[in-house]
Amino acid sequence: MKAVVGADIVGEPSGVEPMGKYEALGQFLLKQTNSLVPMTFKEIERIIGQKLPQSQRYPAWWSNNPSNNPMTQVWLDAGFNTEQVDIGGGKVVFRRVVQSASSEPKSDLHPLIGCMAGTVTIPPGVDLTESDPDWSDYIDKTHGPGAT
């Protein structure tokens, strides 16, 4: 049974979202001023207050794929990528990702999509949906009945 102090249950402050398992690592990384933050796995465990899962023994667990594991999303959200992962030595380096100076929202489209926007002008009075009689004659001659 939890102790009640006033209207709050001790250990569960009201109005505060409970921190995720790895959020302390994200908070730690956000406070860093260097672009490289080398850490041992033991240091990470001290920060998060628990052991890393057994899957930390595999390099893929330390990849920067956002759907990899919950901890990956924490360091990505803090603006870092991992590199120089040394599983045997129990070490990793977090590198601050340089953010674009652009204030435009990130798009899921390829950067070349829209690169030609505004470079083509259609003169007034041109109907792009109108068929081209010369083109239809060419198609009839080359692919119509009796074409060879």
Side-chain angles (χ1 to χ4, degrees):
M1 182 175 209
K2 298 193 186 258
V4 176
V5 178
D8 295 334
I9 298 175
V10 174
E12 296 178 15
S14 64
V16 177
E17 291 278 328
M19 283 184 55
K21 187 174 179 177
Y22 302 113
E23 288 302 314
L25 175 63
Q27 295 302 314
F28 172 82
L29 290 171
L30 284 170
K31 293 176 186 173
Q32 303 308 301
T33 57
N34 294 332
S35 61
L36 293 178
V37 182
M39 297 184 76
T40 65
F41 296 174
K42 292 288 183 203
E43 288 172 323
I44 294 171
E45 289 175 339
R46 275 196 297 276
I47 289 170
I48 66 173
Q50 57 188 294
K51 292 263 187 208
L52 289 169
Q54 290 297 314
S55 52
Q56 57 86 21
R57 296 178 296 168
Y58 303 103
W61 197 82
W62 296 96
S63 79
N64 294 302
N65 180 344
S67 61
N68 190 32
N69 67 63
M71 193 165 104
T72 304
Q73 194 60 56
V74 168
W75 73 63
L76 292 174
D77 287 347
F80 286 83
N81 280 343
T82 56
E83 58 182 43
Q84 299 177 29
V85 178
D86 178 0
I87 301 298
K91 297 184 273 188
V92 64
V93 174
F94 291 97
R95 177 185 291 276
R96 188 177 312 278
V97 179
V98 178
Q99 297 296 324
S100 164
S102 170
S103 61
E104 292 184 29
K106 183 179 176 187
S107 170
D108 291 335
L109 297 175
H110 189 279
L112 291 179
I113 301 292
C115 70
M116 300 293 291
T119 61
V120 176
T121 304
I122 300 168
V126 172
D127 181 2
L128 295 177
T129 62
E130 182 181 2
S131 66
D132 181 357
D134 294 334
W135 181 250
S136 62
D137 290 343
Y138 170 78
I139 295 295
D140 288 343
K141 287 178 188 172
T142 57
H143 300 288
T148 57

